[in-house]
PDB file of all heavy atoms in Angstrom:
ATOM      1  N   ASP A  80     -48.758 106.755 -64.782  1.00 95.00           N
ATOM      2  CA  ASP A  80     -49.746 106.817 -63.712  1.00 95.00           C
ATOM      3  C   ASP A  80     -51.061 106.290 -64.266  1.00 95.00           C
ATOM      4  O   ASP A  80     -51.657 106.890 -65.160  1.00 95.00           O
ATOM      5  CB  ASP A  80     -49.871 108.285 -63.256  1.00 95.00           C
ATOM      6  CG  ASP A  80     -50.862 108.399 -62.112  1.00 95.00           C
ATOM      7  OD1 ASP A  80     -51.345 107.348 -61.643  1.00 95.00           O
ATOM      8  OD2 ASP A  80     -51.146 109.542 -61.710  1.00 95.00           O
ATOM      9  N   THR A  81     -51.494 105.171 -63.745  1.00 92.00           N
ATOM     10  CA  THR A  81     -52.699 104.552 -64.304  1.00 92.00           C
ATOM     11  C   THR A  81     -53.957 104.885 -63.515  1.00 92.00           C
ATOM     12  O   THR A  81     -55.058 104.562 -63.951  1.00 92.00           O
ATOM     13  CB  THR A  81     -52.552 103.015 -64.326  1.00 92.00           C
ATOM     14  OG1 THR A  81     -52.057 102.615 -63.058  1.00 92.00           O
ATOM     15  CG2 THR A  81     -51.642 102.558 -65.415  1.00 92.00           C
ATOM     16  N   GLY A  82     -53.793 105.474 -62.342  1.00 92.00           N
ATOM     17  CA  GLY A  82     -54.968 105.704 -61.499  1.00 92.00           C
ATOM     18  C   GLY A  82     -55.532 104.360 -61.062  1.00 92.00           C
ATOM     19  O   GLY A  82     -54.793 103.378 -60.945  1.00 92.00           O
ATOM     20  N   ASP A  83     -56.836 104.325 -60.878  1.00 93.00           N
ATOM     21  CA  ASP A  83     -57.464 103.070 -60.459  1.00 93.00           C
ATOM     22  C   ASP A  83     -57.525 102.091 -61.629  1.00 93.00           C
ATOM     23  O   ASP A  83     -57.945 102.455 -62.719  1.00 93.00           O
ATOM     24  CB  ASP A  83     -58.900 103.348 -59.996  1.00 93.00           C
ATOM     25  CG  ASP A  83     -58.958 103.452 -58.486  1.00 93.00           C
ATOM     26  OD1 ASP A  83     -57.893 103.271 -57.849  1.00 93.00           O
ATOM     27  OD2 ASP A  83     -60.057 103.734 -57.959  1.00 93.00           O
ATOM     28  N   VAL A  84     -57.127 100.874 -61.376  1.00 96.00           N
ATOM     29  CA  VAL A  84     -57.199  99.865 -62.440  1.00 96.00           C
ATOM     30  C   VAL A  84     -58.132  98.765 -61.972  1.00 96.00           C
ATOM     31  O   VAL A  84     -58.058  98.343 -60.825  1.00 96.00           O
ATOM     32  CB  VAL A  84     -55.798  99.262 -62.701  1.00 96.00           C
ATOM     33  CG1 VAL A  84     -55.873  98.159 -63.746  1.00 96.00           C
ATOM     34  CG2 VAL A  84     -54.828 100.337 -63.134  1.00 96.00           C
ATOM     35  N   SER A  85     -59.040  98.335 -62.841  1.00 96.00           N
ATOM     36  CA  SER A  85     -59.913  97.237 -62.424  1.00 96.00           C
ATOM     37  C   SER A  85     -59.990  96.199 -63.536  1.00 96.00           C
ATOM     38  O   SER A  85     -59.675  96.492 -64.686  1.00 96.00           O
ATOM     39  CB  SER A  85     -61.310  97.766 -62.104  1.00 96.00           C
ATOM     40  OG  SER A  85     -61.844  98.346 -63.267  1.00 96.00           O
ATOM     41  N   MET A  86     -60.386  95.001 -63.185  1.00 96.00           N
ATOM     42  CA  MET A  86     -60.493  93.929 -64.175  1.00 96.00           C
ATOM     43  C   MET A  86     -61.943  93.491 -64.304  1.00 96.00           C
ATOM     44  O   MET A  86     -62.603  93.209 -63.305  1.00 96.00           O
ATOM     45  CB  MET A  86     -59.613  92.754 -63.727  1.00 96.00           C
ATOM     46  CG  MET A  86     -59.770  91.495 -64.543  1.00 96.00           C
ATOM     47  SD  MET A  86     -59.436  91.708 -66.305  1.00 96.00           S
ATOM     48  CE  MET A  86     -57.759  91.133 -66.434  1.00 96.00           C
ATOM     49  N   ASP A  87     -62.423  93.443 -65.544  1.00 97.00           N
ATOM     50  CA  ASP A  87     -63.757  92.929 -65.817  1.00 97.00           C
ATOM     51  C   ASP A  87     -63.596  91.443 -66.176  1.00 97.00           C
ATOM     52  O   ASP A  87     -63.237  91.105 -67.310  1.00 97.00           O
ATOM     53  CB  ASP A  87     -64.351  93.733 -66.988  1.00 97.00           C
ATOM     54  CG  ASP A  87     -65.781  93.321 -67.303  1.00 97.00           C
ATOM     55  OD1 ASP A  87     -66.141  92.169 -66.991  1.00 97.00           O
ATOM     56  OD2 ASP A  87     -66.517  94.147 -67.877  1.00 97.00           O
ATOM     57  N   VAL A  88     -63.810  90.583 -65.191  1.00 97.00           N
ATOM     58  CA  VAL A  88     -63.543  89.155 -65.380  1.00 97.00           C
ATOM     59  C   VAL A  88     -64.401  88.571 -66.506  1.00 97.00           C
ATOM     60  O   VAL A  88     -63.931  87.763 -67.317  1.00 97.00           O
ATOM     61  CB  VAL A  88     -63.760  88.377 -64.055  1.00 97.00           C
ATOM     62  CG1 VAL A  88     -63.651  86.876 -64.265  1.00 97.00           C
ATOM     63  CG2 VAL A  88     -62.747  88.824 -63.012  1.00 97.00           C
ATOM     64  N   LYS A  89     -65.649  89.026 -66.588  1.00 97.00           N
ATOM     65  CA  LYS A  89     -66.544  88.476 -67.628  1.00 97.00           C
ATOM     66  C   LYS A  89     -66.014  88.821 -69.025  1.00 97.00           C
ATOM     67  O   LYS A  89     -66.049  88.014 -69.939  1.00 97.00           O
ATOM     68  CB  LYS A  89     -67.967  89.004 -67.436  1.00 97.00           C
ATOM     69  CG  LYS A  89     -68.615  88.407 -66.193  1.00 97.00           C
ATOM     70  CD  LYS A  89     -70.122  88.592 -66.201  1.00 97.00           C
ATOM     71  CE  LYS A  89     -70.772  87.867 -65.055  1.00 97.00           C
ATOM     72  NZ  LYS A  89     -70.432  88.375 -63.711  1.00 97.00           N
ATOM     73  N   LYS A  90     -65.497  90.050 -69.154  1.00 97.00           N
ATOM     74  CA  LYS A  90     -64.953  90.481 -70.444  1.00 97.00           C
ATOM     75  C   LYS A  90     -63.681  89.675 -70.773  1.00 97.00           C
ATOM     76  O   LYS A  90     -63.451  89.279 -71.917  1.00 97.00           O
ATOM     77  CB  LYS A  90     -64.615  91.977 -70.364  1.00 97.00           C
ATOM     78  CG  LYS A  90     -64.723  92.688 -71.673  1.00 97.00           C
ATOM     79  CD  LYS A  90     -64.777  94.183 -71.437  1.00 97.00           C
ATOM     80  CE  LYS A  90     -64.656  94.935 -72.730  1.00 97.00           C
ATOM     81  NZ  LYS A  90     -64.656  96.382 -72.517  1.00 97.00           N
ATOM     82  N   MET A  91     -62.873  89.457 -69.740  1.00 98.00           N
ATOM     83  CA  MET A  91     -61.651  88.664 -69.930  1.00 98.00           C
ATOM     84  C   MET A  91     -62.023  87.262 -70.444  1.00 98.00           C
ATOM     85  O   MET A  91     -61.388  86.727 -71.347  1.00 98.00           O
ATOM     86  CB  MET A  91     -60.911  88.570 -68.596  1.00 98.00           C
ATOM     87  CG  MET A  91     -59.706  87.668 -68.621  1.00 98.00           C
ATOM     88  SD  MET A  91     -58.854  87.570 -67.018  1.00 98.00           S
ATOM     89  CE  MET A  91     -59.852  86.344 -66.178  1.00 98.00           C
ATOM     90  N   MET A  92     -63.092  86.693 -69.855  1.00 98.00           N
ATOM     91  CA  MET A  92     -63.537  85.354 -70.256  1.00 98.00           C
ATOM     92  C   MET A  92     -64.104  85.357 -71.678  1.00 98.00           C
ATOM     93  O   MET A  92     -63.879  84.434 -72.455  1.00 98.00           O
ATOM     94  CB  MET A  92     -64.605  84.839 -69.271  1.00 98.00           C
ATOM     95  CG  MET A  92     -64.057  84.503 -67.918  1.00 98.00           C
ATOM     96  SD  MET A  92     -62.892  83.126 -68.034  1.00 98.00           S
ATOM     97  CE  MET A  92     -62.273  83.086 -66.363  1.00 98.00           C
ATOM     98  N   ALA A  93     -64.828  86.426 -72.005  1.00 97.00           N
ATOM     99  CA  ALA A  93     -65.425  86.511 -73.350  1.00 97.00           C
ATOM    100  C   ALA A  93     -64.313  86.603 -74.401  1.00 97.00           C
ATOM    101  O   ALA A  93     -64.405  85.977 -75.479  1.00 97.00           O
ATOM    102  CB  ALA A  93     -66.341  87.726 -73.432  1.00 97.00           C
ATOM    103  N   ARG A  94     -63.255  87.346 -74.079  1.00 98.00           N
ATOM    104  CA  ARG A  94     -62.121  87.459 -75.014  1.00 98.00           C
ATOM    105  C   ARG A  94     -61.485  86.076 -75.224  1.00 98.00           C
ATOM    106  O   ARG A  94     -61.201  85.666 -76.348  1.00 98.00           O
ATOM    107  CB  ARG A  94     -61.087  88.444 -74.457  1.00 98.00           C
ATOM    108  CG  ARG A  94     -59.782  88.455 -75.220  1.00 98.00           C
ATOM    109  CD  ARG A  94     -58.774  89.403 -74.582  1.00 98.00           C
ATOM    110  NE  ARG A  94     -57.487  89.316 -75.226  1.00 98.00           N
ATOM    111  CZ  ARG A  94     -56.514  88.478 -74.859  1.00 98.00           C
ATOM    112  NH1 ARG A  94     -56.705  87.652 -73.845  1.00 98.00           N
ATOM    113  NH2 ARG A  94     -55.360  88.459 -75.504  1.00 98.00           N
ATOM    114  N   LYS A  95     -61.296  85.374 -74.109  1.00 98.00           N
ATOM    115  CA  LYS A  95     -60.722  84.019 -74.182  1.00 98.00           C
ATOM    116  C   LYS A  95     -61.593  83.112 -75.073  1.00 98.00           C
ATOM    117  O   LYS A  95     -61.095  82.409 -75.944  1.00 98.00           O
ATOM    118  CB  LYS A  95     -60.621  83.472 -72.750  1.00 98.00           C
ATOM    119  CG  LYS A  95     -60.098  82.082 -72.630  1.00 98.00           C
ATOM    120  CD  LYS A  95     -60.967  81.057 -71.968  1.00 98.00           C
ATOM    121  CE  LYS A  95     -62.140  81.352 -71.172  1.00 98.00           C
ATOM    122  NZ  LYS A  95     -63.067  80.314 -70.863  1.00 98.00           N
ATOM    123  N   ASP A  96     -62.910  83.175 -74.866  1.00 98.00           N
ATOM    124  CA  ASP A  96     -63.815  82.327 -75.654  1.00 98.00           C
ATOM    125  C   ASP A  96     -63.729  82.655 -77.152  1.00 98.00           C
ATOM    126  O   ASP A  96     -63.827  81.776 -78.005  1.00 98.00           O
ATOM    127  CB  ASP A  96     -65.267  82.500 -75.171  1.00 98.00           C
ATOM    128  CG  ASP A  96     -65.468  81.898 -73.781  1.00 98.00           C
ATOM    129  OD1 ASP A  96     -64.623  81.085 -73.358  1.00 98.00           O
ATOM    130  OD2 ASP A  96     -66.453  82.265 -73.101  1.00 98.00           O
ATOM    131  N   LYS A  97     -63.550  83.953 -77.436  1.00 98.00           N
ATOM    132  CA  LYS A  97     -63.468  84.378 -78.838  1.00 98.00           C
ATOM    133  C   LYS A  97     -62.185  83.831 -79.487  1.00 98.00           C
ATOM    134  O   LYS A  97     -62.202  83.354 -80.627  1.00 98.00           O
ATOM    135  CB  LYS A  97     -63.471  85.912 -78.881  1.00 98.00           C
ATOM    136  CG  LYS A  97     -63.891  86.460 -80.201  1.00 98.00           C
ATOM    137  CD  LYS A  97     -64.152  87.940 -80.094  1.00 98.00           C
ATOM    138  CE  LYS A  97     -64.032  88.567 -81.459  1.00 98.00           C
ATOM    139  NZ  LYS A  97     -63.792  89.994 -81.409  1.00 98.00           N
ATOM    140  N   ILE A  98     -61.097  83.893 -78.736  1.00 98.00           N
ATOM    141  CA  ILE A  98     -59.826  83.367 -79.274  1.00 98.00           C
ATOM    142  C   ILE A  98     -59.973  81.869 -79.559  1.00 98.00           C
ATOM    143  O   ILE A  98     -59.565  81.377 -80.611  1.00 98.00           O
ATOM    144  CB  ILE A  98     -58.673  83.626 -78.269  1.00 98.00           C
ATOM    145  CG1 ILE A  98     -58.426  85.130 -78.115  1.00 98.00           C
ATOM    146  CG2 ILE A  98     -57.394  82.918 -78.706  1.00 98.00           C
ATOM    147  CD1 ILE A  98     -57.512  85.514 -76.976  1.00 98.00           C
ATOM    148  N   VAL A  99     -60.588  81.160 -78.603  1.00 98.00           N
ATOM    149  CA  VAL A  99     -60.783  79.714 -78.776  1.00 98.00           C
ATOM    150  C   VAL A  99     -61.637  79.450 -80.024  1.00 98.00           C
ATOM    151  O   VAL A  99     -61.298  78.595 -80.863  1.00 98.00           O
ATOM    152  CB  VAL A  99     -61.447  79.100 -77.515  1.00 98.00           C
ATOM    153  CG1 VAL A  99     -61.910  77.671 -77.767  1.00 98.00           C
ATOM    154  CG2 VAL A  99     -60.469  79.136 -76.333  1.00 98.00           C
ATOM    155  N   ALA A 100     -62.722  80.208 -80.174  1.00 97.00           N
ATOM    156  CA  ALA A 100     -63.611  79.999 -81.332  1.00 97.00           C
ATOM    157  C   ALA A 100     -62.873  80.272 -82.640  1.00 97.00           C
ATOM    158  O   ALA A 100     -63.006  79.506 -83.616  1.00 97.00           O
ATOM    159  CB  ALA A 100     -64.844  80.897 -81.204  1.00 97.00           C
ATOM    160  N   ASN A 101     -62.070  81.330 -82.660  1.00 97.00           N
ATOM    161  CA  ASN A 101     -61.305  81.657 -83.872  1.00 97.00           C
ATOM    162  C   ASN A 101     -60.381  80.518 -84.253  1.00 97.00           C
ATOM    163  O   ASN A 101     -60.288  80.116 -85.405  1.00 97.00           O
ATOM    164  CB  ASN A 101     -60.416  82.892 -83.618  1.00 97.00           C
ATOM    165  CG  ASN A 101     -61.152  84.162 -83.931  1.00 97.00           C
ATOM    166  OD1 ASN A 101     -62.159  84.133 -84.619  1.00 97.00           O
ATOM    167  ND2 ASN A 101     -60.660  85.277 -83.415  1.00 97.00           N
ATOM    168  N   LEU A 102     -59.672  80.027 -83.239  1.00 97.00           N
ATOM    169  CA  LEU A 102     -58.652  79.018 -83.527  1.00 97.00           C
ATOM    170  C   LEU A 102     -59.268  77.668 -83.889  1.00 97.00           C
ATOM    171  O   LEU A 102     -58.788  77.001 -84.811  1.00 97.00           O
ATOM    172  CB  LEU A 102     -57.713  78.860 -82.332  1.00 97.00           C
ATOM    173  CG  LEU A 102     -56.704  80.008 -82.193  1.00 97.00           C
ATOM    174  CD1 LEU A 102     -55.958  79.905 -80.879  1.00 97.00           C
ATOM    175  CD2 LEU A 102     -55.705  79.999 -83.349  1.00 97.00           C
ATOM    176  N   THR A 103     -60.324  77.276 -83.181  1.00 97.00           N
ATOM    177  CA  THR A 103     -60.920  75.970 -83.502  1.00 97.00           C
ATOM    178  C   THR A 103     -61.546  76.023 -84.904  1.00 97.00           C
ATOM    179  O   THR A 103     -61.409  75.087 -85.686  1.00 97.00           O
ATOM    180  CB  THR A 103     -61.965  75.537 -82.448  1.00 97.00           C
ATOM    181  OG1 THR A 103     -62.903  76.595 -82.263  1.00 97.00           O
ATOM    182  CG2 THR A 103     -61.323  75.229 -81.106  1.00 97.00           C
ATOM    183  N   GLY A 104     -62.169  77.156 -85.212  1.00 96.00           N
ATOM    184  CA  GLY A 104     -62.725  77.337 -86.563  1.00 96.00           C
ATOM    185  C   GLY A 104     -61.613  77.298 -87.601  1.00 96.00           C
ATOM    186  O   GLY A 104     -61.788  76.767 -88.707  1.00 96.00           O
ATOM    187  N   GLY A 105     -60.462  77.836 -87.219  1.00 97.00           N
ATOM    188  CA  GLY A 105     -59.299  77.861 -88.132  1.00 97.00           C
ATOM    189  C   GLY A 105     -58.851  76.463 -88.517  1.00 97.00           C
ATOM    190  O   GLY A 105     -58.436  76.221 -89.656  1.00 97.00           O
ATOM    191  N   ILE A 106     -58.942  75.528 -87.583  1.00 97.00           N
ATOM    192  CA  ILE A 106     -58.505  74.152 -87.905  1.00 97.00           C
ATOM    193  C   ILE A 106     -59.434  73.558 -88.968  1.00 97.00           C
ATOM    194  O   ILE A 106     -58.980  72.896 -89.906  1.00 97.00           O
ATOM    195  CB  ILE A 106     -58.523  73.227 -86.648  1.00 97.00           C
ATOM    196  CG1 ILE A 106     -57.708  73.820 -85.504  1.00 97.00           C
ATOM    197  CG2 ILE A 106     -58.032  71.816 -86.996  1.00 97.00           C
ATOM    198  CD1 ILE A 106     -56.260  74.008 -85.757  1.00 97.00           C
ATOM    199  N   SER A 107     -60.725  73.837 -88.810  1.00 94.00           N
ATOM    200  CA  SER A 107     -61.666  73.318 -89.820  1.00 94.00           C
ATOM    201  C   SER A 107     -61.313  73.876 -91.197  1.00 94.00           C
ATOM    202  O   SER A 107     -61.344  73.143 -92.203  1.00 94.00           O
ATOM    203  CB  SER A 107     -63.105  73.692 -89.443  1.00 94.00           C
ATOM    204  OG  SER A 107     -63.338  73.344 -88.100  1.00 94.00           O
ATOM    205  N   SER A 108     -60.942  75.163 -91.251  1.00 96.00           N
ATOM    206  CA  SER A 108     -60.550  75.754 -92.546  1.00 96.00           C
ATOM    207  C   SER A 108     -59.274  75.100 -93.067  1.00 96.00           C
ATOM    208  O   SER A 108     -59.145  74.859 -94.276  1.00 96.00           O
ATOM    209  CB  SER A 108     -60.283  77.258 -92.400  1.00 96.00           C
ATOM    210  OG  SER A 108     -61.352  77.867 -91.756  1.00 96.00           O
ATOM    211  N   LEU A 109     -58.336  74.809 -92.151  1.00 98.00           N
ATOM    212  CA  LEU A 109     -57.086  74.164 -92.593  1.00 98.00           C
ATOM    213  C   LEU A 109     -57.376  72.768 -93.154  1.00 98.00           C
ATOM    214  O   LEU A 109     -56.752  72.351 -94.134  1.00 98.00           O
ATOM    215  CB  LEU A 109     -56.100  74.050 -91.420  1.00 98.00           C
ATOM    216  CG  LEU A 109     -55.444  75.346 -90.951  1.00 98.00           C
ATOM    217  CD1 LEU A 109     -54.603  75.101 -89.696  1.00 98.00           C
ATOM    218  CD2 LEU A 109     -54.559  75.935 -92.057  1.00 98.00           C
ATOM    219  N   PHE A 110     -58.327  72.070 -92.546  1.00 98.00           N
ATOM    220  CA  PHE A 110     -58.709  70.752 -93.068  1.00 98.00           C
ATOM    221  C   PHE A 110     -59.219  70.902 -94.507  1.00 98.00           C
ATOM    222  O   PHE A 110     -58.826  70.174 -95.398  1.00 98.00           O
ATOM    223  CB  PHE A 110     -59.800  70.109 -92.191  1.00 98.00           C
ATOM    224  CG  PHE A 110     -59.260  69.372 -90.969  1.00 98.00           C
ATOM    225  CD1 PHE A 110     -60.122  68.739 -90.081  1.00 98.00           C
ATOM    226  CD2 PHE A 110     -57.896  69.299 -90.722  1.00 98.00           C
ATOM    227  CE1 PHE A 110     -59.634  68.047 -88.969  1.00 98.00           C
ATOM    228  CE2 PHE A 110     -57.396  68.620 -89.603  1.00 98.00           C
ATOM    229  CZ  PHE A 110     -58.279  67.999 -88.733  1.00 98.00           C
ATOM    230  N   GLN A 111     -60.108  71.880 -94.681  1.00 98.00           N
ATOM    231  CA  GLN A 111     -60.664  72.094 -96.028  1.00 98.00           C
ATOM    232  C   GLN A 111     -59.564  72.432 -97.022  1.00 98.00           C
ATOM    233  O   GLN A 111     -59.482  71.869 -98.109  1.00 98.00           O
ATOM    234  CB  GLN A 111     -61.659  73.240 -95.991  1.00 98.00           C
ATOM    235  CG  GLN A 111     -63.064  72.754 -95.673  1.00 98.00           C
ATOM    236  CD  GLN A 111     -64.036  73.923 -95.533  1.00 98.00           C
ATOM    237  OE1 GLN A 111     -63.731  75.050 -95.903  1.00 98.00           O
ATOM    238  NE2 GLN A 111     -65.197  73.636 -94.989  1.00 98.00           N
ATOM    239  N   ALA A 112     -58.690  73.359 -96.611  1.00 98.00           N
ATOM    240  CA  ALA A 112     -57.640  73.827 -97.528  1.00 98.00           C
ATOM    241  C   ALA A 112     -56.694  72.700 -97.916  1.00 98.00           C
ATOM    242  O   ALA A 112     -56.154  72.689 -99.015  1.00 98.00           O
ATOM    243  CB  ALA A 112     -56.857  74.959 -96.852  1.00 98.00           C
ATOM    244  N   ASN A 113     -56.493  71.752 -97.004  1.00 98.00           N
ATOM    245  CA  ASN A 113     -55.549  70.668 -97.278  1.00 98.00           C
ATOM    246  C   ASN A 113     -56.224  69.387 -97.779  1.00 98.00           C
ATOM    247  O   ASN A 113     -55.555  68.386 -98.004  1.00 98.00           O
ATOM    248  CB  ASN A 113     -54.736  70.347 -96.022  1.00 98.00           C
ATOM    249  CG  ASN A 113     -53.684  71.410 -95.744  1.00 98.00           C
ATOM    250  OD1 ASN A 113     -52.624  71.425 -96.373  1.00 98.00           O
ATOM    251  ND2 ASN A 113     -53.976  72.320 -94.829  1.00 98.00           N
ATOM    252  N   GLY A 114     -57.542  69.431 -97.878  1.00 98.00           N
ATOM    253  CA  GLY A 114     -58.256  68.254 -98.390  1.00 98.00           C
ATOM    254  C   GLY A 114     -58.411  67.129 -97.371  1.00 98.00           C
ATOM    255  O   GLY A 114     -58.505  65.958 -97.745  1.00 98.00           O
ATOM    256  N   VAL A 115     -58.420  67.483 -96.071  1.00 98.00           N
ATOM    257  CA  VAL A 115     -58.677  66.468 -95.040  1.00 98.00           C
ATOM    258  C   VAL A 115     -60.193  66.355 -94.854  1.00 98.00           C
ATOM    259  O   VAL A 115     -60.871  67.365 -94.668  1.00 98.00           O
ATOM    260  CB  VAL A 115     -58.037  66.875 -93.684  1.00 98.00           C
ATOM    261  CG1 VAL A 115     -58.421  65.886 -92.576  1.00 98.00           C
ATOM    262  CG2 VAL A 115     -56.518  66.997 -93.812  1.00 98.00           C
ATOM    263  N   THR A 116     -60.733  65.134 -94.900  1.00 98.00           N
ATOM    264  CA  THR A 116     -62.166  64.944 -94.648  1.00 98.00           C
ATOM    265  C   THR A 116     -62.412  64.926 -93.144  1.00 98.00           C
ATOM    266  O   THR A 116     -61.802  64.140 -92.417  1.00 98.00           O
ATOM    267  CB  THR A 116     -62.645  63.599 -95.239  1.00 98.00           C
ATOM    268  OG1 THR A 116     -62.341  63.609 -96.620  1.00 98.00           O
ATOM    269  CG2 THR A 116     -64.141  63.398 -95.032  1.00 98.00           C
TER     270      THR A 116
END
Side-chain angles (χ1 to χ4, degrees):
D80 182 5
T81 47
D83 262 358
V84 177
S85 61
M86 172 58 98
D87 183 335
V88 173
K89 290 196 173 66
K90 209 163 171 182
M91 174 180 82
M92 290 296 173
R94 170 183 174 270
K95 178 239 345 165
D96 291 342
K97 201 168 158 201
I98 295 169
V99 169
N101 271 342
L102 284 171
T103 52
I106 306 298
S107 310
S108 309
L109 288 174
F110 276 180
Q111 271 176 13
N113 286 281
V115 174
T116 303

